[in-house]
């Protein structure tokens, strides 16, 4: 079928919206008509080759839409269902089978190889005049949702209630899930706990709002952007720290006395990781969701008194279980996604990326189709 999709042709060229051909769904696949999709920093990293991915490529991995067709092997989903799309996993390795699909043995090829796990492609560019077909890489995070339609699987397709606008739910599939899941799943922050969030972008705000849901008594937002810090106060931060020229660890100890129980670093900056460990109370934990800079190092002595540092992927979430929880929190007013979102028309995708890069918007969301999606 013919679709419109935004193609990353090269790492330096703007995304170009063009017509492509999409295969019919295989037996285990789902055809989803996209209504909206969030823009995440990971899309920019793959586009500009900071994460190695093959080009040309259709990006997009925070999709929300309506099921149009399902393959005969698909169960639990049918045409007309509203769905949110998330990361892909193999569904067969030890991590997947033990309830930790974010740490799938095949996580990288499943999400970044630009193809199905068997190496095949479902997206093509057709030159009608020359009667030739050229492959365009797709299946990014098992979806490639910068398009009017996407091929997905049951493993990354989550059915959601129809009474919440899909355009508002799109960001739940990656960034907000990662931040909220880090606090609620990985850290399992207790009531009365203390949390510091380094970097309040989409992931950081997800963590901050989840810390409030968890009942943390001290929630510290750390950033260099004054308006984001002001927004953090409105969304649950009990304290904010402008990291510009500041000894962040000392500032956190001034607030808490002995340090915080949990730090989520979304920056990946070497100096902030050092500050994160120095901010911990005994037995405290640092979670890294952005990877670490190559020169980041934590002296072993800093891990005395039971401190620990670990990587976190996708908030250790099982999307089919966790995304509906986030939808309920949003519906109840406890996870106000709407305070973070700015909408853009699909054809304005490059403007949306530019605004995200400048820090002018927390979470850009592309409107791809009419939300009246029945």
């Amino acid at each position: 079928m013919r679709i419109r999709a935004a193609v990353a042709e090269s790492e330096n060229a703007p995304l170009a919206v063009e017509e492509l051909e999409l295969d019919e769904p295989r037996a285990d696949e789902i055809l989803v008509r996209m209504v909206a999709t969030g823009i995440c920093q990971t899309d920019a990293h793959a586009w500009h080759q900071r994460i190695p991915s093959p080009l040309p490529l259709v990006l997009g991995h925070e999709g929300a839409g309506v099921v149009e067709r399902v393959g005969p092997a698909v169960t639990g989903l049918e045409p007309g269902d509203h769905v949110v799309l998330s990361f892909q996993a193999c569904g067969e390795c030890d991590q997947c089978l033990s309830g930790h699909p974010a740490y799938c043995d095949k996580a990288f090829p499943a999400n970044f190889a630009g193809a199905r796990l068997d190496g095949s492609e479902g997206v093509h560019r057709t030159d009608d005049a020359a009667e030739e077909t050229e492959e365009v890489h797709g299946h990014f995070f098992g979806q490639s949702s910068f398009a009017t339609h996407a091929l997905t699987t049951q493993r990354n397709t989550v059915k959601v209630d129809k009474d919440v606008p899909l355009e508002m739910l799109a960001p739940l599939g990656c960034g907000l899930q990662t931040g909220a899941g880090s606090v609620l799943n990985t850290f399992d922050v207790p009531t009365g706990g203390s949390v510091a969030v380094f970097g309040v972008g989409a992931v950081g705000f997800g963590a901050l709002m989840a810390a409030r849901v968890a009942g943390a008594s001290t929630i510290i937002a750390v950033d260099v952007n004054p308006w984001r810090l002001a927004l953090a106060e409105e969304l649950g931060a009990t304290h904010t720290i402008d990291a510009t020229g500041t000894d962040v660890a000392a500032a956190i100890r001034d607030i808490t006395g002995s340090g915080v129980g949990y730090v989520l670093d979304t920056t990946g900056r070497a100096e902030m990781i050092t500050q994160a460990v120095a901010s911990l109370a005994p037995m405290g934990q640092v979670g890294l969701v952005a990877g670490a800079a190559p020169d980041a190092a934590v002296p072993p002595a800093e891990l005395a008194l039971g401190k620990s540092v670990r990587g976190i992927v996708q908030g250790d979430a099982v999307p089919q279980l966790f995304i509906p929880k986030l939808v309920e929190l949003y519906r109840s007013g406890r996870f106000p996604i709407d305070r973070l979102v700015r909408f853009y028309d699909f054809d304005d995708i490059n403007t949306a990326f530019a605004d995200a890069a400048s820090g002018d918007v927390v979470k850009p969301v592309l409107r791809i189709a009419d939300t009246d999606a029945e």
Side-chain angles (χ1 to χ4, degrees):
M1 62 179 294
R2 287 275 186 176
I3 66 170
R4 294 179 72 239
V7 179
E9 193 70 33
S10 71
E11 62 186 284
N12 297 315
L15 299 175
V17 178
E18 60 181 274
E19 281 200 349
L20 299 175
E21 291 283 342
L22 185 69
D23 287 352
E24 289 295 312
R26 292 183 173 182
D28 64 342
E29 289 183 329
I30 303 152
L31 176 66
V32 178
R33 180 168 67 87
M34 304 312 307
V35 170
T37 186
I39 286 176
C40 176
Q41 191 63 29
T42 302
D43 294 306
H45 288 332
W47 173 14
H48 299 301
Q49 298 294 281
R50 293 186 287 268
I51 296 175
S53 297
L55 300 177
L57 173 65
V58 180
L59 295 161
H61 66 284
E62 290 185 343
V66 179
V67 174
E68 286 205 341
R69 289 196 288 283
V70 299
V74 174
T75 60
L77 290 167
E78 60 185 27
D81 284 344
H82 286 202
V83 293
V84 170
L85 309 181
S86 192
F87 64 89
Q88 186 62 286
C90 75
E92 299 175 347
C93 68
D94 288 347
Q95 284 68 247
C96 286
L97 294 176
S98 62
H100 302 280
Y103 303 98
C104 173
D105 280 348
K106 297 179 180 178
F108 195 89
N111 293 284
F112 294 102
R116 299 181 178 97
L117 274 171
D118 65 5
S120 64
E121 297 281 0
V123 184
H124 315 277
R125 179 185 280 147
T126 303
D127 185 338
D128 293 331
E131 297 185 351
E132 294 179 351
T133 298
E134 173 193 354
E135 287 186 348
V136 174
H137 298 285
H139 307 282
F140 188 68
F141 277 66
Q143 53 181 285
S144 286
S145 55
F146 290 165
T148 55
H149 293 78
L151 291 174
T152 70
T153 73
Q154 280 187 252
R155 295 184 299 280
N156 71 325
T157 306
V158 181
K159 184 178 177 179
V160 294
D161 293 338
K162 294 182 178 181
D163 64 335
V164 183
L166 280 168
E167 63 183 16
M168 197 59 67
L169 300 185
L172 295 181
C174 182
L176 292 172
Q177 172 176 257
T178 296
S182 296
V183 168
L184 298 176
N185 299 330
T186 311
F187 290 156
D188 192 15
V189 172
T191 301
S194 56
V195 180
V197 179
F198 286 16
V200 280
V203 175
F205 273 110
L208 184 151
M209 295 187 296
R212 189 178 188 181
V213 168
S217 59
T218 303
I219 305 171
I220 304 170
V222 181
D223 207 289
V224 296
N225 187 313
W227 80 262
R228 291 194 179 197
L229 290 173
L231 181 58
E233 284 189 319
E234 296 177 21
L235 296 184
T238 59
H239 303 80
T240 61
I241 298 171
D242 187 334
T244 306
T246 301
D247 184 331
V248 172
I252 288 175
R253 290 187 175 278
D254 285 343
I255 294 167
T256 62
S258 62
V260 289
Y262 308 91
V263 177
L264 185 69
D265 178 71
T266 74
T267 72
R269 298 174 64 88
E271 69 274 17
M272 295 310 294
I273 295 169
T274 300
Q275 292 279 319
V277 176
S279 301
L280 290 177
M283 301 292 293
Q285 302 176 43
V286 171
L288 308 177
V289 296
D295 54 346
V298 178
E302 284 290 338
L303 299 180
L305 300 176
K307 297 179 181 180
S308 62
V309 180
R310 63 161 296 174
I312 302 174
V313 180
Q314 292 289 337
D316 198 11
V318 178
Q320 286 76 9
L321 300 177
F322 195 62
I323 287 176
K325 290 181 180 179
L326 294 181
V327 174
E328 286 304 312
L329 287 171
Y330 169 68
R331 183 187 278 118
S332 69
R334 302 175 68 198
F335 202 73
I337 310 163
D338 50 293
R339 299 293 305 278
L340 309 176
V341 165
R342 183 186 298 172
F343 293 108
Y344 296 79
D345 291 338
F346 186 26
D347 288 321
D348 294 329
I349 187 169
N350 289 296
T351 300
F353 267 98
D355 288 351
S358 71
D360 287 345
V361 58
V362 176
K363 175 54 66 175
V365 173
L366 302 172
R367 285 179 167 135
I368 297 177
D370 193 322
T371 54
D372 182 12
E374 294 299 330

